[in-house]
Amino acid sequence: MKKVLVSGAGGFVGARIMAQLAGRYELCAFPKGMLAAADETAVAELVWHEQPDVILHTAAISDTGYSEKHPAESYRANVQLPLWVARAAQTVGAKLVCFSSDQVYAGLTDIGPFAEDTPLAPANVYGRHKLEAEQRVLDARPDAVLLRATWMYDLPGYGLPIRGNFLLNLYNAALHGGTLRFSCRDYRGITYVREAVEQLTQAMELPGGVYNFGSENDCNMYTTALRVCETLGIHPEIEKQEWPRSLLMDGSKFRNAAGVGFADTQAGIKHCLREYGLE
């Protein structure tokens, strides 16, 4: 049984890794709160002590607005920390799987979907930091796997931490009122987090490199929201916007390398609803 060390084990993704993959791997985690204050030496010592076969690095500051206002804090969490983990992984020979983000595609003027080798110039601090982290991690640990993840969603349950997300936001707006705004010129995939966790079993076996990681989507976010509301039979107030953005990703590299791919956005949402008995 492989030993897997998880960073961010108390977070949205990390907690689901600890729950879903239990029994399939020997799971251990960085102590809660450690990485917020640790230096590179402390990270290296913990990795050396645990001697993992695989490190799943999910810890990050993923709030794009917060990163914009606190760039130094974002740089430490989103560039320096994954680099420290990569160097530590190198010393013990551990496979590193590290989460990046679809925000690296922010600022592109085409609709996409974009492949991993698309020339990039991210339009926000978070995206720039994630792109730099990809490059520096691969320099330190060439067989590392960098996963450009989409916006992920889940519903409350299983005793796991929850945060605002696409599906939950629609439910809350329908239950409590309020207006949601989606653009008919905004394109991106959104992914059921529990499906993403399952796909990590394949990601651990991939050759080193960058992979788009998540559900693809065949329509804009305004239309996506309307489709999901129709599926759910709910009627929140949705305001149509016109601002442009595309974070659409081409998932074929991961699909071809792993031999399995993600459900598309609409199918993923239906899968989520079935698991929660809501379809």
Side-chain angles (χ1 to χ4, degrees):
M1 184 180 289
K2 287 184 178 179
K3 185 174 185 179
V4 178
L5 174 61
V6 181
S7 74
F12 183 70
V13 176
R16 285 159 176 80
I17 290 172
M18 300 302 288
Q20 284 178 236
L21 301 187
R24 286 184 267 178
Y25 301 93
E26 180 186 348
L27 298 174
C28 58
F30 284 89
K32 184 177 180 180
M34 173 193 168
L35 294 178
D39 59 12
E40 183 171 5
T41 299
V43 171
E45 288 176 350
L46 189 284
V47 171
W48 184 263
H49 174 75
E50 293 292 347
Q51 293 288 312
D53 299 298
V54 181
I55 301 174
L56 296 180
H57 183 60
T58 75
I61 292 176
S62 58
D63 185 318
T64 56
Y66 188 91
S67 291
E68 208 71 30
K69 294 176 182 176
H70 304 88
E73 192 175 342
S74 173
Y75 192 82
R76 182 196 176 280
N78 295 325
V79 180
Q80 291 180 310
L81 184 57
L83 176 59
W84 297 345
V85 172
R87 289 172 176 164
Q90 180 74 14
T91 65
V92 299
K95 181 74 172 182
L96 174 62
V97 178
C98 186
F99 275 77
S100 184
S101 171
D102 61 359
Q103 289 291 333
V104 300
Y105 296 109
L108 296 177
T109 56
D110 294 336
I111 291 177
F114 304 113
E116 290 85 349
D117 58 358
T118 302
L120 301 173
N124 56 55
V125 166
Y126 178 70
R128 290 194 291 273
H129 287 172
K130 282 296 189 180
L131 182 59
E132 181 178 344
E134 290 178 1
Q135 296 162 346
R136 298 188 70 181
V137 164
L138 285 172
D139 285 343
R141 187 67 172 140
D143 77 338
V145 171
L146 283 300
L147 302 176
R148 290 177 177 170
T150 71
W151 189 17
M152 297 188 197
Y153 62 87
D154 200 0
L155 293 172
Y158 301 97
L160 296 168
I162 194 69
R163 65 187 184 195
N165 61 72
F166 176 77
L167 194 54
L168 189 58
N169 293 349
L170 291 174
Y171 266 120
N172 284 337
L175 288 171
H176 306 297
T179 300
L180 296 175
R181 296 170 178 84
F182 294 100
S183 174
C184 63
R185 298 175 64 197
D186 180 26
Y187 299 88
R188 70 186 308 185
I190 53 174
T191 304
Y192 182 28
V193 65
R194 296 180 65 83
E195 181 181 7
V197 170
E198 288 299 320
Q199 298 283 17
L200 288 175
T201 61
Q202 281 75 40
M204 294 181 206
E205 307 301 327
L206 293 175
V210 177
Y211 297 83
N212 291 334
F213 188 72
S215 294
E216 296 167 283
N217 198 357
D218 67 352
C219 62
N220 62 65
M221 287 303 293
Y222 176 73
T223 302
T224 299
L226 294 181
R227 287 181 177 179
V228 173
C229 288
E230 182 179 2
T231 298
L232 294 172
I234 60 175
H235 305 283
E237 186 71 26
I238 297 179
E239 185 178 292
K240 186 177 183 180
Q241 303 282 293
E242 296 281 346
W243 50 269
R245 178 182 65 175
S246 182
L247 307 178
L248 279 181
M249 300 192 299
D250 178 350
S252 60
K253 181 180 177 182
F254 177 82
R255 191 161 49 245
N256 292 336
V260 64
F262 284 82
D264 65 26
T265 291
Q266 294 296 326
I269 287 171
K270 290 179 180 178
H271 178 201
C272 173
L273 297 178
R274 284 194 300 272
E275 289 203 335
Y276 284 90
L278 295 171
E279 189 185 35

